[in-house]
Amino acid sequence: MKSPVFFLVWIVVAAIVFAFGLYLKNDYFFFAGYTVLQYVVLATGWNILGGYTGYVNFGSAAFFAMGAYASVVMHKVAPLPVPLLIIIGGIVSGLVGLGMGYLTLRLRGAFFAIATLALAVVLQTLIVNWDFVGGSRGAYIIRPNTLDIAGLQIPYIEYLFALMLILAVCALTVARIVERSRLGFGFATIRDDEVAAEACGVPTLRLKLMATTLSGALMGMAGAPFPYYIGYLQPSSAFGLEYAVNSIAMPMIGGTTSWVGPLIGAIVLGTLQQVATVTISSAVNLLIVGLLLTGFVIIAPNGILGLIHKFRGQSDADKVGRRVIRETP
Amino acid sequence: MGVTTDLFINAIIAGILLGGFYAAVTIGISISFGILDIVNIAHPAFVILGSYIAYLLNVSLGIDPILASVVALPAFFALGMAVYQLYYSSFEKFGQEALRGLAFFFGLLFITEVVLILAFGVDYRYVHTPYIDTTLHFGFVDIPLRMLVPCVVALLLVVGLIIYLGRTFTGRAIMAVAQDQHALKFVSADPIKIKRIAFGISIATASIAGALLIVIQPVEPSVGREYIGRVFAICVLGGMQSLPGTLIGAMLLGIMESLTATFYGPSWAPAVAFGFLLLTLAFRPQGLFGR
């Protein structure tokens, strides 16, 4: 399937989801759905760096929060429509990603992960001490209840939901394009053996910077509309640990090697958490994520995707092996 | 002597005392991450678990929390061995420890935290001992016993471990695992068994560190998160494998945090410590005292 076709197919799917929401006439569907979609974007963004190149980013919450706080700043300086804010949030977090990439060029494996954790704390401290965006007290964003588009009064939450749907489709398309391009193959060589890749002439340095930037930008875009969704943004909620955990757990549970993995993981885990929040309590959310994450990495290292492959009797290794045998004569 | 000088000296002393405690929290990471190359990001959660065990024994039986943590040592040692066995058979054996191992410990962190929340709630818990409310005064210098006792216990722990790792056969074997795992087989020591023991020791230190933590401040289940970055910062600053390096790194971080908190306000303290870690990682990844 060509990328434009892929994009159009998913836009149609998104339109169906939106229409279903309108048919339900239930505001909660939009509220909960927005969170799940936000996780689809976050998980897809994380996976570009974490899944494709194998660099674990523990600081997803910081990228998310930078996107959100970019919107807060813009709201105070010059209020813009939310789609523009998403682009600005993406640029800001992309730049943070680029900076992080430069700072951590020499770090591999666990050291990189620890550096991202440290970066998140430093950024959070800066925001907490920055009075312009409300410091630790937080900032209020007053948003209208409805949005006027061509004379139609659209509830604001439906507007945000629609934006997030489009953003999720864009993120999936980008991830799929990256995965199937030379860029994606380059990322995969870094994941498999960085030293060998470098020796073969793969520009690992440039590729890593592209991965951190792209991944950061997507996570920032996921965060940009957040202040308008929640109405009141404080550092502890924007930098919340649940974003860091979920953006790691969702791709790991879904499967990290393909764009489908984060999508499956985000929908399954995101929905499960929404249900658990309503029926049990929000503390149990973390337990669910923790148990699923540990369970999956131990029992099904390749996530749900890996399980599906296994069920069909064609593990990745098998496929490669068969192809080799067929090509030998 | 101006007021600023007084403040400065008090901040330095508070920093050293705090640093001693940080060393106790970090020493387990220095063993697991520095020596065994296991990124046990869940270590702070085990420390909090240690705090709650000490709290339980203190409240129900009235035992001193630090003594209680010593009683709990064998249990923590066994827990550590079990965790390592699971980690080894699921990840290390297949060489998959990098990404999945990290995720495994990340998950473990949340499981421990939520289990504690479900068992004890999110209220702050504290312990009662005679020395918690006493403060020694030397002129303008104040030394609260609440900080001094943990610092002394931490120093004893670190020195004890240095002696153990340097003088005993098992200790030396643990140091050898870090250098060449296969060479260890020539002295008829099973590297996996040695690693299991070492990881058990690393988790056992969390018991003591946890008791020290609850002596210093009231504890609730998510306090451990603050320590994730801090312990790795200290471990990296100290040059990973070196236990004396860990002690110096911990003191440095304690003093930096204490000075920042005194002169610029507590809300800036994390930025200084973590900024220092970022710069160290970026420009001197082998640590301040590494080769």
Side-chain angles (χ1 to χ4, degrees), chain B residues 139-195:
Chain B
F140 61 86
V141 177
D142 294 335
I143 299 181
L145 282 184
R146 184 174 61 83
M147 301 294 296
L148 184 64
V149 172
C151 183
V152 171
V153 175
L155 287 178
L156 287 176
L157 177 68
V158 173
V159 171
L161 275 174
I162 290 175
I163 293 173
Y164 175 75
L165 289 181
R167 297 285 165 83
T168 64
F169 179 78
T170 319
R172 286 179 178 175
I174 289 171
M175 295 306 287
V177 157
Q179 292 171 9
D180 192 337
Q181 179 166 331
H182 300 292
L184 206 61
K185 289 179 182 158
F186 292 124
V187 289
S188 70
D190 176 7
I192 304 309
K193 190 179 154 203
I194 296 294
K195 280 185 166 185

Side-chain angles (χ1 to χ4, degrees), chain A residues 56 106 125 129 241 245 301, chain B residues 99-100 104 110 225 267 282-283:
Chain A
V56 180
R106 289 201 281 169
T125 316
N129 287 291
L241 205 58
V245 190
Chain B
L99 185 63
R100 316 208 182 286
F104 168 71
F110 291 105
R225 293 178 191 170
S267 62
F283 299 109

Side-chain angles (χ1 to χ4, degrees), chain A residues 56 58 103 106-107 110-111 114-115 117-118 121-122 125 129 241 245 248 252 283 286-287 291 293-294 297-298 301, chain B residues 39 41 90-91 99-100 102-104 106 110-111 114 225 228 232 240 267-268 271 274-275 277-278 281-283 285:
Chain A
V56 180
F58 277 129
L103 206 60
R106 289 201 281 169
L107 303 177
F111 289 99
I114 295 163
L117 201 70
V121 178
V122 170
T125 316
N129 287 291
L241 205 58
V245 190
I248 294 172
M252 294 295 259
L286 275 180
L287 187 63
L291 284 175
L293 182 58
T294 18
V297 292
I298 292 175
Chain B
V39 193
I41 203 155
S90 312
F91 310 106
L99 185 63
R100 316 208 182 286
L102 260 179
F104 168 71
F106 207 46
F110 291 105
I111 294 174
V114 180
R225 293 178 191 170
I228 303 175
F232 282 101
M240 306 290 293
S267 62
W268 279 109
F274 286 95
L277 168 67
L278 269 185
L281 279 176
F283 299 109

Side-chain angles (χ1 to χ4, degrees), chain B:
Chain B
M1 281 269 199
V3 177
T4 329
T5 328
D6 290 9
L7 268 180
F8 184 75
I9 292 172
N10 268 314
I12 294 269
I13 290 172
I16 291 174
L17 296 178
L18 190 65
F21 161 65
Y22 283 171
V25 183
T26 314
I27 202 84
I29 287 283
S30 298
I31 294 175
S32 59
F33 181 45
I35 297 178
L36 304 178
D37 207 18
I38 300 170
V39 193
N40 178 12
I41 203 155
H43 190 77
F46 290 116
V47 172
I48 304 299
L49 185 66
S51 293
Y52 274 91
I53 303 280
Y55 162 78
L56 269 185
L57 289 176
N58 176 261
V59 170
S60 58
L61 304 173
I63 317 176
D64 180 89
I66 295 171
L67 196 66
S69 74
V70 176
V71 174
L73 271 182
F76 272 78
F77 183 72
L79 176 68
M81 300 226 291
V83 169
Y84 178 76
Q85 195 55 45
L86 185 60
Y87 173 81
Y88 172 75
S89 53
S90 312
F91 310 106
E92 210 174 45
K93 202 158 69 178
F94 308 109
Q96 290 195 325
E97 60 265 35
L99 185 63
R100 316 208 182 286
L102 260 179
F104 168 71
F105 282 114
F106 207 46
L108 218 55
L109 171 77
F110 291 105
I111 294 174
T112 316
E113 187 177 315
V114 180
V115 165
L116 284 176
I117 289 180
L118 292 178
F120 295 95
V122 288
D123 303 332
Y124 277 93
R125 307 281 169 160
Y126 49 90
V127 288
H128 300 282
T129 54
Y131 50 83
I132 276 186
D133 300 322
T134 320
T135 300
L136 303 178
H137 300 279
F138 300 100
F140 61 86
V141 177
D142 294 335
I143 299 181
L145 282 184
R146 184 174 61 83
M147 301 294 296
L148 184 64
V149 172
C151 183
V152 171
V153 175
L155 287 178
L156 287 176
L157 177 68
V158 173
V159 171
L161 275 174
I162 290 175
I163 293 173
Y164 175 75
L165 289 181
R167 297 285 165 83
T168 64
F169 179 78
T170 319
R172 286 179 178 175
I174 289 171
M175 295 306 287
V177 157
Q179 292 171 9
D180 192 337
Q181 179 166 331
H182 300 292
L184 206 61
K185 289 179 182 158
F186 292 124
V187 289
S188 70
D190 176 7
I192 304 309
K193 190 179 154 203
I194 296 294
K195 280 185 166 185
R196 198 160 54 222
I197 293 173
F199 198 77
I201 293 174
S202 121
I203 298 298
T205 63
S207 168
I208 295 181
L212 301 184
L213 175 65
I214 204 166
V215 168
I216 289 178
Q217 62 169 73
V219 170
E220 56 110 1
S222 64
V223 167
R225 293 178 191 170
E226 297 170 17
Y227 287 89
I228 303 175
R230 212 174 262 152
V231 290
F232 282 101
I234 294 169
C235 185
V236 171
L237 285 181
M240 306 290 293
Q241 311 196 346
S242 142
L243 298 195
T246 300
L247 189 60
I248 299 171
M251 295 280 179
L252 266 180
L253 195 83
I255 292 170
M256 269 192 297
E257 279 192 5
S258 171
L259 283 178
T260 321
T262 310
F263 291 102
Y264 299 97
S267 62
W268 279 109
V272 173
F274 286 95
F276 203 72
L277 168 67
L278 269 185
L279 294 179
T280 315
L281 279 176
F283 299 109
R284 216 184 138 70
Q286 68 272 47
L288 292 182
F289 311 103
R291 271 156 291 166

Side-chain angles (χ1 to χ4, degrees), chain A residues 3-326:
Chain A
S3 293
V5 182
F6 175 85
F7 181 75
L8 285 179
V9 167
W10 278 96
I11 283 289
V12 171
V13 173
I16 294 171
V17 171
F18 191 72
F20 179 69
L22 289 180
Y23 167 75
L24 280 181
K25 285 205 170 79
N26 185 348
D27 264 359
Y28 183 73
F29 174 82
F30 289 108
F31 271 104
Y34 176 90
T35 312
V36 174
L37 287 171
Q38 173 182 290
Y39 278 133
V40 172
V41 182
L42 260 178
T44 307
W46 184 88
N47 200 42
I48 287 182
L49 182 65
Y52 296 171
T53 72
Y55 275 77
V56 180
N57 180 0
F58 277 129
S60 326
F63 291 94
F64 178 83
M66 288 328 273
Y69 269 98
S71 291
V72 172
V73 171
M74 289 316 292
H75 184 78
K76 298 211 165 193
V77 179
L80 290 173
V82 180
L84 283 179
L85 289 178
I86 292 181
I87 293 172
I88 292 174
I91 293 172
V92 169
S93 287
L95 287 177
V96 173
L98 185 65
M100 182 184 84
Y102 265 114
L103 206 60
T104 54
L105 281 178
R106 289 201 281 169
L107 303 177
R108 290 191 183 158
F111 289 99
F112 178 83
I114 295 163
T116 56
L117 201 70
L119 182 82
V121 178
V122 170
L123 287 176
Q124 184 174 4
T125 316
L126 291 180
I127 294 288
V128 163
N129 287 291
W130 190 17
D131 278 333
F132 182 71
V133 292
S136 56
R137 277 169 290 116
Y140 284 97
I141 299 283
I142 315 288
R143 65 167 161 89
N145 257 332
T146 57
L147 189 78
D148 189 44
I149 295 179
L152 273 170
Q153 297 291 319
I154 299 174
Y156 210 84
I157 182 68
E158 291 179 14
Y159 169 59
L160 288 177
F161 180 82
L163 281 178
M164 219 20 138
L165 260 177
I166 298 171
L167 187 58
V169 173
C170 291
L172 289 175
T173 313
V174 167
R176 188 170 173 274
I177 293 174
V178 166
E179 197 181 305
R180 302 182 168 209
S181 64
R182 280 175 64 91
L183 194 62
F185 296 142
F187 287 171
T189 60
I190 294 179
R191 178 183 62 208
D192 293 340
D193 193 330
E194 192 170 337
V195 180
E198 214 161 313
C200 293
V202 177
T204 54
L205 203 110
R206 212 185 321 149
L207 287 180
K208 272 196 284 184
L209 287 181
M210 287 170 92
T212 51
T213 311
L214 196 58
S215 162
L218 279 177
M219 292 194 280
M221 286 177 159
F226 186 65
Y228 288 86
Y229 169 76
I230 197 140
Y232 166 65
L233 187 71
Q234 60 183 131
S236 56
S237 73
F239 284 88
L241 205 58
E242 65 261 32
Y243 299 115
V245 190
N246 276 317
S247 51
I248 294 172
M250 287 166 175
M252 294 295 259
I253 287 169
T256 52
T257 47
S258 151
W259 60 271
V260 195
L263 176 68
I264 297 177
I267 291 177
V268 170
L269 206 56
T271 314
L272 206 61
Q273 284 180 65
Q274 287 301 320
V275 174
T277 309
V278 179
T279 52
I280 316 171
S281 81
S282 52
V284 181
N285 274 348
L286 275 180
L287 187 63
I288 292 176
V289 181
L291 284 175
L292 279 180
L293 182 58
T294 18
F296 263 94
V297 292
I298 292 175
I299 299 161
N302 295 319
I304 295 175
L305 275 185
L307 286 181
I308 294 174
H309 282 308
K310 210 189 247 174
F311 187 70
R312 285 199 193 148
Q314 40 161 226
S315 75
D316 291 343
D318 267 9
K319 236 184 338 190
V320 175
R322 237 180 284 154
R323 200 175 296 156
V324 169
I325 293 167
R326 221 177 286 144

